[in-house]
Amino acid sequence: MSLLDPTQWSGKAHVGTWTAMTGGTAPVVEPATGEVLGTIGVATPEDVASAAERAARAQSAWARAPYTERAAVLRRAGDLFTRYADEIGQWLIREGGSIPGKAAFETTTAAQECYEAATLASRPLGEILPSAEPRLSLARRVPAGVVGVIAPFNAPLILGIRSVAPALALGNSVLFKPDLRTAVCGGVSVMRVFEEAGLPADLLHLLPGGADTGAAVVAAPQVRVVSFTGSTAAGRKVGAAAAEHLKRAHLELGGNSALIVLPDADLERAASTAAWGSYFHQGQICMTTGRHLVHASVADEYVARLAEKAEQLPVGNPAKEQVALGPIIDAGQRDKIHGLVTASVGNGARLVAGGTYQDLFYRPTVLADVDDASPAYAEEVFGPVAPVRAFRDLDEAVALATASSYGLSLGILTSDAMRGLELAERIPTGIVHVNDQTVSDEAVAPFGGVAASGTGARFGGDANIEAFTETRWITARSEQPAYPF
């Protein structure tokens, strides 16, 4: 049996049922080959408005449903992600450019997100408050209502389900806008799983589209909370639009994460760790290791070892070959990556490995002798590029690591873990990994960045309760009080 049978969704999206959208259709393209795999419906603001009305009508009954019913739906969804992991994984590989290991990580994490979300339905959602009056005083968490979820292309399944699942578990309905470039693996798969899991009608709507669709989701009067994952530039616009409509926006944005390599680190392991941090999914991850800060005493050896790793990594079509890196998502992103690399070399950086491409396949790249004038060091590349910069002492390492507008993830490699933790205390960031690279995620962990990387840890674990509920103050007296008038 097929979960993603194209005859069900081809040329359509989901507003209460699989139906044609008023925006027509967009091709579903395999970036490795350019082959058109199908078409998907493109939602317009009119489609969003219809979905928002339906979602609002359905939400109140879902919020009143027994928590056991909501939890059961989420557990079944987790089981379905596991059952159909191979089929969904093939779409992640072909449509998203993932290597098989990355696709398996996404489907496994999607299942875990659903299982963890199921536990939210039975969490304590309030507390007894003291009161100077003769009354019972409570603070209670209640569903926000309709939640808008806007997800990107790079880890489309994880970055959608991590908000969709907890929002539903806590009694909300959801308008879900995946990126058009990964609308099947990151959108249709989620919609079909919840259909099969028995989610009542109109609680989840699939609305693939462009910026106008996302803007309509944010502006819809019924939407009270917006969960956005994407670039910092787009996130600023989403945050501003949400503020204009007096809505909460949880923003997980870009990064230019640093990996600090101290002189006592095992350099062979460090090169392997660093290569994974910079080249996993072609560097198209918000937590990608974008700046390698290495002690000057070991910098030359580190560069040589990292370049050797880069040169040995195979690049190609993950649906046909056993490769370490697949394609960049599209030509626009590839050209941006190459422009940053060539501009950095033009400004004095030394190209040690890579820096070339064929079609959408970009070679893993190492740049040495970078500085603040190197765009591939100073900016988020979102590609397989590892800029390396030397530091002389810990104070300089801290200064370099903090000299960024971003604050998402930080890695520190050292033989002294306590020294690494002490160093991390001096660097503002949302995530720290001592003796690991910067890319990691677990459904139970709070996730998010600071500064230009977002509005803090608003995803994962107990943070989901704060993200997708409102706090209501409730009091009750045994009888009405006497007032002076």
Side-chain angles (χ1 to χ4, degrees):
M1 185 174 66
S2 172
L3 179 77
L4 301 177
D5 182 356
T7 61
Q8 191 163 32
W9 54 263
S10 184
K12 303 173 183 176
H14 200 285
V15 178
T17 185
W18 292 102
T19 186
M21 296 287 101
T22 59
T25 64
V28 177
V29 178
E30 181 179 31
T33 64
E35 180 183 347
V36 176
L37 306 176
T39 60
I40 191 74
V42 179
T44 64
E46 291 75 20
D47 297 316
V48 172
S50 174
E53 291 177 1
R54 298 175 71 122
R57 288 196 297 268
Q59 185 270 328
S60 58
W62 179 240
R64 293 193 303 271
Y67 76 87
T68 52
E69 180 180 332
R70 286 184 269 120
V73 169
L74 269 298
R75 286 194 298 271
R76 289 194 294 269
D79 291 343
L80 288 163
F81 276 119
T82 301
R83 183 186 308 170
Y84 292 105
D86 289 344
E87 183 180 358
I88 297 171
Q90 283 302 307
W91 280 96
L92 285 162
I93 292 167
R94 296 197 67 190
E95 182 189 27
S98 300
I99 62 173
K102 189 260 190 181
F105 173 70
E106 287 215 49
T107 54
T108 299
T109 301
Q112 193 60 38
E113 291 284 356
C114 291
Y115 295 139
E116 289 298 324
T119 71
L120 296 175
S122 57
R123 298 281 183 91
L125 295 174
E127 58 183 339
I128 305 293
L129 304 175
S131 178
E133 300 290 327
R135 62 189 178 189
L136 178 65
S137 181
L138 309 171
R140 182 188 175 194
R141 287 283 187 174
V142 298
V146 181
V147 172
V149 176
I150 302 174
F153 74 86
N154 56 322
L157 186 55
I158 293 175
L159 299 181
I161 196 64
R162 73 173 180 184
S163 292
V164 169
L168 290 172
L170 290 164
N172 302 285
S173 55
V174 176
L175 306 186
F176 178 32
K177 191 202 87 67
D179 193 298
L180 270 175
R181 291 170 289 186
T182 48
V184 179
C185 60
V188 173
S189 64
V190 174
M191 191 72 238
R192 287 290 298 120
V193 159
F194 278 102
E195 281 190 308
E196 292 294 308
L199 183 71
D202 288 334
L203 290 173
L204 176 61
H205 299 269
L206 179 67
L207 301 160
D212 59 338
T213 309
V217 169
V218 175
Q222 299 87 348
V223 171
R224 298 310 311 153
V225 172
V226 177
S227 171
F228 173 85
T229 304
S231 71
T232 297
R236 292 184 192 279
K237 295 178 181 178
V238 169
E244 181 180 352
H245 295 286
L246 301 179
K247 302 177 182 184
R248 282 188 291 136
H250 305 303
L251 308 174
E252 199 270 284
L253 308 177
N256 193 7
S257 298
L259 179 69
I260 300 176
V261 183
L262 300 186
D264 60 353
D266 181 321
L267 289 189
E268 179 56 31
R269 287 192 176 185
S272 174
T273 299
W276 184 266
S278 281
Y279 305 141
F280 177 66
H281 196 46
Q282 300 79 261
Q284 298 173 124
I285 300 288
C286 58
M287 298 172 282
T288 289
T289 301
R291 294 176 296 152
H292 297 242
L293 307 178
V294 185
H295 193 272
S297 65
V298 296
D300 289 344
E301 183 180 354
Y302 178 89
V303 168
R305 288 177 180 268
L306 182 58
E308 183 180 4
K309 293 282 185 185
E311 295 286 7
Q312 293 174 354
L313 292 174
V315 181
N317 182 350
K320 302 292 186 182
E321 310 167 68
Q322 186 173 350
V323 297
L325 285 79
I328 302 301
I329 190 66
D330 59 26
Q333 181 61 24
R334 178 206 62 202
D335 293 345
K336 176 194 170 189
I337 295 165
H338 195 58
L340 292 171
V341 169
T342 54
S344 297
V345 173
N347 285 347
R350 178 163 54 95
L351 181 65
V352 186
T356 62
Y357 66 85
Q358 183 176 359
D359 298 323
L360 295 183
F361 302 105
Y362 205 94
R363 289 293 313 170
T365 298
V366 177
L367 295 171
D369 304 330
V370 298
D371 56 23
D372 293 340
S374 305
Y377 170 84
E379 302 176 29
E380 181 183 34
V381 178
F382 227 65
V385 180
V388 184
R389 184 169 183 174
F391 65 86
R392 292 180 298 275
D393 54 42
L394 292 185
D395 288 339
E396 185 180 10
V398 169
L400 291 173
T402 56
S404 171
S405 60
Y406 297 104
L408 183 53
S409 188
L410 170 69
I412 300 174
L413 305 184
T414 174
S415 63
D416 186 344
M418 294 308 297
R419 185 187 190 193
L421 289 171
E422 291 171 1
L423 180 61
E425 288 294 315
R426 303 172 61 187
I427 301 167
T429 184
I431 302 164
V432 176
H433 300 297
V434 175
N435 283 326
D436 206 347
Q437 43 77 40
T438 54
V439 182
S440 187
D441 191 15
E442 291 188 50
V444 297
F447 186 96
V450 298
S453 290
T455 52
R458 298 294 185 267
F459 303 95
D462 290 342
N464 287 315
I465 297 175
E466 179 183 350
F468 301 117
T469 64
E470 303 284 4
T471 301
R472 177 178 293 171
W473 182 35
I474 304 169
T475 69
R477 294 174 178 261
S478 58
E479 58 182 29
Q480 297 183 46
Y483 287 101
F485 56 88

